[in-house]
C-alpha cells in the first residue's frame, strides 16, 4: 500500500457525488481567463464551461479516469491522456471562525444550464454557495454547515473556476494511477503554494491530506498536526467561552473575577498572535468587553434586587403573627 500527502489535489468521484445535489449549478465550472489563454477547452453549447479531471480511475480500465464535464455531470470514460482539460483545485483549511477568510465569506447564487438525464433536455438550475476568496481566487466552501455545527475541523474547498489548463493525468495514456500523475499533482500543489506566499493567514490554515492506494486515492483525510489540533480545540473552547459567555459565567458564579480577567487576557493574546490582526481588532475587542461589563453590572443589580426582594418576603414570612402569637 502506498500513501500520498498533498496540500492540494483534484476532486474524486465520491466527493463530486457527495456535493452534487447541494451545489448542482456549481458542478459545471467556468474556464478562467488564465486557463482559456493557456488553451483549456471551452464548451460552445454550455457557454464558458469546461471539463476537469478527477483522481478516480475507471474500474476495470487501465487508462480511464473520471471527469467533471461541461453539462454538469461526471463521466468515467475519459482517457487519462486528455491535455485540454481545466484544473479544479481542492484543498482543506483549518476552520477558524475568527479568521478573515471566514469573516469575509460571501454567498453566491448561480444559475447554470445543465443536461437533465431524465428528460433528455437542457434545463437551468440555480444553487447558492458560500464563497471564500484568497488573493482573488474564489473557492466554494463545501462543508460550511458541518464546520459551524462542530462536526468538521477543516473546511473543504474547491476552486469556483478552472484556474489553469490542467496537466494531462498521463501524457502517454498508459495508466490511471493518481500517484503516478506527478505533473498534475505538482500543478495542484504549486498553485496553492503560490497562493500561500501571497496570503499569510491562508498559509497558516492550510492542512495537508493523506490518500491511500487502498481505495485508489479516493478518500482525502486531513492530517491536522497535533499542535494545530490542540490549537483548534483551544480556539473552540475560547469561542465557547466568548466575552459575553465569560461574563455570564461570572454572573452565575462558575468563575470568579480573577478567572474572568485571565480568560479575557487569553482571548486578547490569541487575537494579537494572528498575523492578520490589526489595531482596529484590539479596539473592537475592548469595546465588546466594555459593553459586556455594563451588561453584567445591570444583570447583577437586577439579580441583587430580586434576591433582596425575595429575602424580604422570607423575613416577612418568618415574622408573621399567627393565632395571636
Amino acid at each position: 500500500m502506498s500513501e500520498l500527502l498533498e496540500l492540494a489535489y483534484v476532486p474524486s468521484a465520491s466527493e463530486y457525488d457527495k456535493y452534487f445535489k447541494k451545489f448542482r449549478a456549481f458542478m459545471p465550472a467556468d474556464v478562467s481567463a488564465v486557463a482559456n489563454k493557456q488553451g483549456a477547452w471551452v464548451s460552445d453549447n454550455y457557454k464558458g464551461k469546461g471539463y476537469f479531471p478527477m483522481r478516480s480511475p475507471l474500474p476495470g480500465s487501465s487508462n480511464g479516469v473520471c471527469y467533471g464535464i461541461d453539462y454538469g455531470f461526471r463521466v468515467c470514460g475519459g482517457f487519462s491522456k486528455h491535455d485540454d482539460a481545466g484544473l479544479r483545485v481542492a484543498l482543506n483549511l483549518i476552520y477558524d471562525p475568527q479568521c478573515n477568510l471566514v469573516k469575509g465569506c460571501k454567498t453566491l447564487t448561480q444559475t447554470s444550464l445543465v443536461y437533465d438525464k431524465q428528460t433528455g433536455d437542457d434545463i437551468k438550475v440555480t444553487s447558492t454557495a458560500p464563497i471564500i476568496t484568497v488573493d482573488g481566487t474564489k473557492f466554494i466552501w463545501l462543508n460550511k454547515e458541518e464546520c459551524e455545527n462542530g462536526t468538521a475541523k477543516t473546511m473543504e474547498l474547491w476552486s469556483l473556476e478552472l484556474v489553469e489548463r490542467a496537466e494531462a493525468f498521463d501524457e502517454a495514456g498508459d495508466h490511471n494511477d493518481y500517484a503516478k500523475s506527478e505533473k498534475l499533482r505538482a500543478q495542484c500543489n504549486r498553485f496553492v503554494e503560490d497562493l500561500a506566499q501571497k496570503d499569510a493567514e491562508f498559509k497558516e490554515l492550510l492542512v495537508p491530506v493523506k490518500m491511500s492506494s487502498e481505495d485508489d486515492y479516493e478518500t482525502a483525510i486531513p492530517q491536522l498536526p497535533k499542535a494545530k489540533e490542540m490549537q483548534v480545540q483551544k480556539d473552540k473552547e475560547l469561542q465557547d467561552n466568548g466575552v459575553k459567555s465569560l461574563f455570564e459565567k461570572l454572573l452565575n458564579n462558575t468563575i470568579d473575577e480573577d478567572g474572568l480577567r485571565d480568560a479575557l487576557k487569553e482571548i486578547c493574546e490569541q487575537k494579537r498572535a494572528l498575523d492578520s490582526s490589526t489595531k482596529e481588532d484590539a479596539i473592537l475587542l475592548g469595546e465588546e468587553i466594555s459593553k459586556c461589563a455594563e451588561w453584567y453590572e445591570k444583570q447583577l443589580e437586577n439579580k441583587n434586587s430580586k434576591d433582596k426582594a425575595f429575602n424580604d418576603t422570607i423575613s416577612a414570612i418568618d415574622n408573621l403573627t399567627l393565632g395571636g402569637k
Side-chain angles (χ1 to χ4, degrees):
M1 181 182 72
S2 64
E3 293 182 334
L4 301 177
L5 190 65
E6 309 282 4
L7 274 181
Y9 48 97
V10 294
S12 69
S14 59
E15 290 163 355
Y16 186 97
D17 293 347
K18 178 180 179 180
Y19 294 112
F20 179 81
K21 289 183 179 180
K22 185 176 182 180
F23 299 112
R24 183 73 177 89
F26 293 92
M27 289 296 109
D30 286 326
V31 177
S32 70
V34 171
N36 193 343
K37 187 176 180 179
Q38 292 173 342
W41 178 82
V42 183
S43 175
D44 289 329
N45 294 331
Y46 302 89
K47 300 297 183 182
K49 306 298 182 184
Y51 76 110
F52 56 93
M54 299 183 187
R55 62 183 192 273
S56 303
L58 175 64
S61 168
S62 62
N63 61 0
V65 295
C66 294
Y67 287 86
I69 52 179
D70 56 325
Y71 54 80
F73 282 97
R74 67 172 177 85
V75 294
C76 297
F79 293 116
S80 58
K81 67 179 180 180
H82 288 320
D83 63 358
D84 61 352
L87 181 70
R88 176 163 249 174
V89 177
L91 58 95
N92 277 247
L93 297 178
I94 293 173
Y95 172 59
D96 178 1
Q98 300 304 316
C99 76
N100 290 329
L101 290 175
V102 170
K103 288 182 177 180
C105 179
K106 305 293 184 182
T107 299
L108 175 64
T109 299
Q110 177 169 297
T111 299
S112 297
L113 184 68
V114 300
Y115 179 71
D116 184 1
K117 288 184 177 180
Q118 292 184 337
T119 64
D121 297 322
D122 287 337
I123 61 173
K124 288 185 176 180
V125 294
T126 300
S127 305
T128 299
I131 302 295
I132 298 292
T133 303
V134 184
D135 192 54
T137 300
K138 292 181 170 58
F139 292 91
I140 305 168
W141 182 3
L142 299 165
N143 64 337
K144 183 173 185 287
E145 290 81 4
E146 291 85 347
C147 288
E148 291 177 338
N149 66 27
T151 58
K153 293 180 179 179
T154 61
M155 305 161 63
E156 296 178 40
L157 305 180
W158 282 5
S159 61
L160 177 63
E161 295 182 321
L162 306 182
V163 294
E164 294 181 356
R165 176 177 174 171
E167 293 283 353
F169 196 101
D170 173 40
E171 292 174 309
D174 293 334
H175 73 80
N176 53 10
D177 182 345
Y178 188 62
K180 296 179 181 178
S181 187
E182 295 179 357
K183 288 187 176 180
L184 178 60
R185 288 170 45 217
Q187 184 183 20
C188 292
N189 285 300
R190 188 262 312 150
F191 183 84
V192 169
E193 286 167 356
D194 286 349
L195 280 182
Q197 294 303 313
K198 300 171 184 176
D199 190 313
E201 182 181 65
F202 175 76
K203 181 178 182 180
E204 178 66 23
L205 297 175
L206 266 175
V207 178
V209 299
K210 183 181 288 186
M211 305 174 187
S212 168
S213 60
E214 193 169 16
D215 67 349
D216 289 323
Y217 310 102
E218 186 71 18
T219 307
I221 303 173
Q223 301 298 296
L224 207 57
K226 196 63 180 177
K228 286 191 175 182
E229 187 170 8
M230 291 173 65
Q231 185 62 43
V232 168
Q233 181 61 31
K234 186 176 181 181
D235 290 346
K236 184 179 186 304
E237 290 172 358
L238 284 174
Q239 182 186 1
D240 293 341
N241 296 333
V243 174
K244 179 70 175 294
S245 176
L246 289 170
F247 278 96
E248 289 175 345
K249 290 182 177 182
L250 179 64
L251 185 67
N252 295 324
N253 298 317
T254 55
I255 61 171
D256 58 20
E257 290 187 10
D258 287 340
L260 172 74
R261 291 190 177 92
D262 289 343
L264 290 175
K265 288 177 183 177
E266 189 171 1
I267 290 175
C268 187
E269 290 303 330
Q270 184 198 39
K271 288 184 177 292
R272 187 210 299 267
L274 293 174
D275 291 336
S276 58
S277 64
T278 64
K279 172 185 174 182
E280 285 69 29
D281 291 328
I283 293 172
L284 288 173
L285 178 59
E287 290 175 351
E288 183 182 5
I289 292 172
S290 179
K291 288 179 181 178
C292 287
E294 291 178 5
W295 172 87
Y296 168 78
E297 292 294 341
K298 289 180 181 178
Q299 295 299 314
L300 183 62
E301 182 180 352
N302 292 338
K303 184 173 182 293
N304 289 339
S305 296
K306 181 182 73 173
D307 289 344
K308 182 178 183 305
F310 276 102
N311 287 337
D312 289 346
T313 299
I314 291 172
S315 295
I317 293 171
D318 289 339
N319 294 325
L320 280 175
T321 302
L322 300 173
K325 297 181 180 179

